[in-house]
Amino acid sequence: MMMMATSTINIGGRKKREQYLFLIIFLCTCTIFFQSFSLSVEAASNSGGLKYTRHNSKQVSSLRLQRIEKRLNKINKPAVITVQSPDGDIIDCVHKRKQPALDHPLLKNHKIQKEAPERPKAMKMKMKHTNDKDEGINNNNGDEAAAAVEGKGKEGAWVVQQMWHRNGTRCPRGTVPIRRSTVDDVLRAKSLFDYGKKKQHQPPNNFNFNNNLTADLAARRTDAPDVVSGNGHEHAIAYTGSLQEVYGARATINVWTPSIEQANEFSLSQIWVLSGSFDGSDLNSIEAGWQVSPELYGDNRPRLFTYWTTDSYQATGCYNLLCSGFIQTNSRIAIGASISPVSSYASDQYDVTILIWKDPKLGNWWMGFGGNTLVGYWPAELFTHLAEKATMVEWGGEVVNARANGEHTATQMGSGHFAEDGFGKASYFRNLEIVDSDNSLSSVRGVSTLAENTNCYNIESSYNNEWGTHFYYGGPGKNSRCP
């Protein structure tokens, strides 16, 4: 009897142990599954570098979700057709008369400009486009472009490159492509108000401004108000003299994928067309170029972008089409969509040409991408100072330095290499031009340059017959000389 009892107890213990073991295996399997699922969601929403998890809408209050959906309904207009991009973007083809721009109160009676704007008359250039159907990206073969720097090379072939085009789909005539905004896009922003906006540049209390833009820039060079203020915007730019009449600008910029250290930082390369003062109240700015912004787009891809403001980034304006204002006319270029391929270190260089100019007849500010592609325009009604003309142009790079852990960011500008590294390694702007009162493009001579901290990011300008006025710029951010 005792032996039997003991045997029964042993069998019961073995069963319990098997049950416990099964339970442990089951829980471990579930844990691995959910971890794998989480990682796959992260991988699907980024292209390397930082990891971005999708927000759980159940953790967001219903009131906040209602507010976000209301905002998204204003931005995301009903689509005629929808295109799923290989990079995860959704591109909505929206009827051009239904686009967000026309919701602006100043554009209630605005009629979309049908007449093509008068294009600026270009000066004679040795470098020619191979056709008039390009959408903006030029592949500069390393040998040819290096020779071009020396004034004896020729330009590479123009190619069509926006990621959402890869499946061959285009938006039909009469529509414009708009990158769809999502709840996750908004939740990555600091607030609903901040979504799609740059942080306001506020100078330190002891910074003395006047209305002379040259003096402002000179003071900005020594005191670097954007950095001291805590906003952390750092630049490496070339700029024209102030108080002259400018009606547009053009340049060609090579495209890279700079590494971004913090999700709330960005790195961009752009043209600024400016008028007004830098005192934080009435600066008018029109901007276009390429940028990498994890917070705005949820990945590390370089993207074509635009921006505008009439009150020094306080309340007016936004990136791309994330508020009413910019009127898109092109059915093939999606503002905010990723562009590729990108330049490689010591290898092929890919660049984009950006042109911004004021139509002398109707006064709207147009944007051109590539050789002959019109993207759209900022209506003159939006602006105060820029309603007439610009007084300054800037070209170059900008990063946000969040100073996490009290150290300078390792977010790269451009290629992440300093200007002195030169072609194929450093980023460049070439063929800097401005549009004069006769609507003619002319090469810029004698630009000034500015870099707040040359140990982190720098710039070097030059001139030759092929690239006209050009400069190399950029840097790695944090390094032994930039703690």
Side-chain angles (χ1 to χ4, degrees), residues 127 140 143-154 464 466-467:
M127 303 173 75
N140 269 323
D143 293 338
E144 290 182 345
V149 177
E150 298 170 3
K152 56 187 179 185
K154 45 184 182 177
N464 63 46
E466 288 291 340
W467 279 23

Side-chain angles (χ1 to χ4, degrees), residues 100-104 107 308 318 321 323-327 377-379 382:
L102 300 177
D103 292 339
H104 198 288
L107 303 179
W308 68 275
C318 62
L321 306 180
C323 67
S324 52
F326 182 86
I327 294 178
Y377 64 92
W378 295 267
L382 295 175

Side-chain angles (χ1 to χ4, degrees), residues 104-144:
H104 198 288
L106 294 176
L107 303 179
K108 283 184 177 180
N109 301 317
H110 184 89
K111 293 182 179 180
I112 296 177
Q113 184 173 337
K114 294 182 179 180
E115 181 182 352
E118 181 182 335
R119 297 173 188 261
K121 296 178 285 290
M123 63 181 183
K124 293 182 179 180
M125 295 290 293
K126 295 180 181 179
M127 303 173 75
K128 300 178 181 178
H129 298 148
T130 59
N131 61 60
D132 60 358
K133 297 180 180 179
D134 65 88
E135 290 188 8
I137 295 187
N138 173 32
N139 173 11
N140 269 323
N141 176 276
D143 293 338
E144 290 182 345

Side-chain angles (χ1 to χ4, degrees), residues 1-10:
M1 292 293 292
M2 288 296 293
M3 290 179 62
M4 185 180 292
T6 304
S7 177
T8 302
I9 292 172
N10 287 340

